[in-house]
Amino acid sequence: MEIKIANLGRSYVQDDKTVEAVKDVSIEIPSNTIYGIIGKSGAGKSTLVRLISLLEKPDSGEIYYDRKRVDNLSKKDLILQHRRIGMIFQNFNLFYSRTAAKNIAYPLEICHVAEKDIKKRVKELLELVGLADRADAPISTLSGGQKQRVAIARALANNPDILFCDEATSALDPQTTRSILELIRNIQKKMNLTVVMITHQMEVVRDACEYVSVLNNGSVVETGTVKEIFSNPKSEVTKDFLSHLTSN
């Protein structure tokens, strides 16, 4: 699914001051790609992903999924659209009272999918993320990488068109990060997903993304293919990201 955002703006009032979190942002995300949005802390990444994923409404601008405007949907249509979107987060957002399998089943349960179909889908997803033998494991017994694999499986339960990854590898060690990025790349190809990765880690962009937009102070300062950005960075923010990558 292609995503187009045009002139997005979002402000908040904080300590009696208006803070512009997202300023006139326009991005086109091609269908069936992994697209990175990178920025430092406070750059506006989290606000932007909440807008693009329709968790918040913009103050200004428009959002299109496959040329259909979606930022102005009715409440009923918004619920249906949310079911076509998968999201994974830095802190996993799992239910610790449920097993791995029951966590994955949750989105299907709230959509009133038949129990036999839920069991079949959960089994497929556990195999897809490499956790076929951990179905009945309590979440507390899983490693960080395994928890993120459960979260990925849960995000895919309803066969979404788009997968948003909000700092999905920030809490993981480098080796686990590489394995999770490889899993996301494989899933993207297998399911023909549009994946949007929000990150402050340039190595995530390097290892997983095809395109990238660099965010700074709520605005996009640079956009292009990863190859273009890495070989010829134009903004000081991008150059700073790349200098830290080189030194690590």
Side-chain angles (χ1 to χ4, degrees):
M1 178 172 284
E2 180 188 55
I3 304 170
K4 181 179 178 181
I5 61 176
N7 310 112
L8 278 195
R10 184 74 170 99
S11 300
Y12 301 97
V13 176
Q14 190 174 12
D15 299 327
D16 297 325
K17 291 181 180 178
T18 299
V19 178
E20 283 188 279
V22 172
K23 307 172 193 172
D24 196 31
V25 169
S26 297
I27 298 174
E28 291 190 27
I29 300 172
S31 179
N32 192 20
T33 56
I34 303 181
Y35 196 105
I37 297 175
I38 189 168
K40 296 179 181 177
S41 180
K45 303 186 302 297
S46 292
T47 301
L48 183 59
V49 75
R50 289 182 66 81
L51 295 175
I52 305 173
S53 62
L54 310 181
L55 292 175
E56 280 188 31
K57 279 186 175 290
D59 297 325
S60 57
E62 299 170 354
I63 303 168
Y64 296 87
Y65 288 177
D66 275 351
R67 301 181 186 178
K68 176 191 173 187
R69 189 171 176 184
V70 291
D71 60 280
N72 59 354
L73 294 175
S74 67
K75 190 174 180 180
K76 180 183 175 183
D77 287 339
L78 187 60
I79 290 169
L80 293 174
Q81 187 65 68
H82 276 153
R83 291 177 183 173
R84 308 298 305 160
I85 297 170
M87 291 202 71
I88 56 175
F89 304 92
Q90 177 179 351
N91 59 357
F92 317 127
N93 284 16
L94 298 172
F95 298 111
Y96 276 72
S97 59
R98 285 176 166 240
T99 62
K102 286 291 186 182
N103 265 278
I104 299 166
Y106 180 73
L108 299 166
E109 291 171 1
I110 61 176
C111 290
H112 307 294
V113 175
E115 190 174 343
K116 65 178 177 61
D117 294 327
I118 291 177
K119 285 182 178 178
K120 181 184 176 186
R121 182 67 177 146
V122 168
K123 185 172 183 288
E124 290 171 355
L125 289 165
L126 283 165
E127 288 173 358
L128 180 67
V129 300
L131 293 177
D133 60 339
R134 304 294 279 157
D136 297 323
I139 295 301
S140 59
T141 67
L142 301 179
S143 69
Q146 289 172 329
K147 288 173 186 173
Q148 197 57 287
R149 286 171 183 268
V150 173
I152 291 168
R154 184 183 61 183
L156 299 173
N158 279 316
N159 281 304
D161 302 307
I162 309 166
L163 178 65
F164 289 96
C165 307
D166 190 5
E167 298 281 10
T169 59
S170 293
L172 306 175
D173 63 74
Q175 186 177 348
T176 306
T177 292
R178 284 192 291 272
S179 71
I180 292 296
L181 293 178
E182 184 179 1
L183 175 64
I184 290 171
R185 286 198 306 268
N186 291 339
I187 287 169
Q188 187 273 326
K189 287 175 185 170
K190 192 169 188 175
M191 298 181 70
N192 296 320
L193 281 169
T194 299
V195 178
V196 181
M197 303 198 79
I198 310 297
T199 184
H200 67 274
Q201 299 170 290
M202 202 51 139
E203 55 268 34
V204 169
V205 171
R206 177 193 65 196
D207 295 344
C209 302
E210 296 166 70
Y211 301 89
V212 62
S213 285
V214 183
L215 208 61
N216 189 45
N217 293 326
S219 300
V220 172
V221 295
E222 197 161 356
T223 292
T225 67
V226 170
K227 188 176 179 181
E228 289 167 349
I229 298 294
F230 271 66
S231 61
N232 187 27
K234 293 183 170 62
S235 74
E236 291 305 314
V237 179
T238 311
K239 290 174 185 175
D240 188 45
F241 271 122
L242 289 170
S243 69
H244 284 89
L245 178 70
T246 312
S247 62
N248 285 342

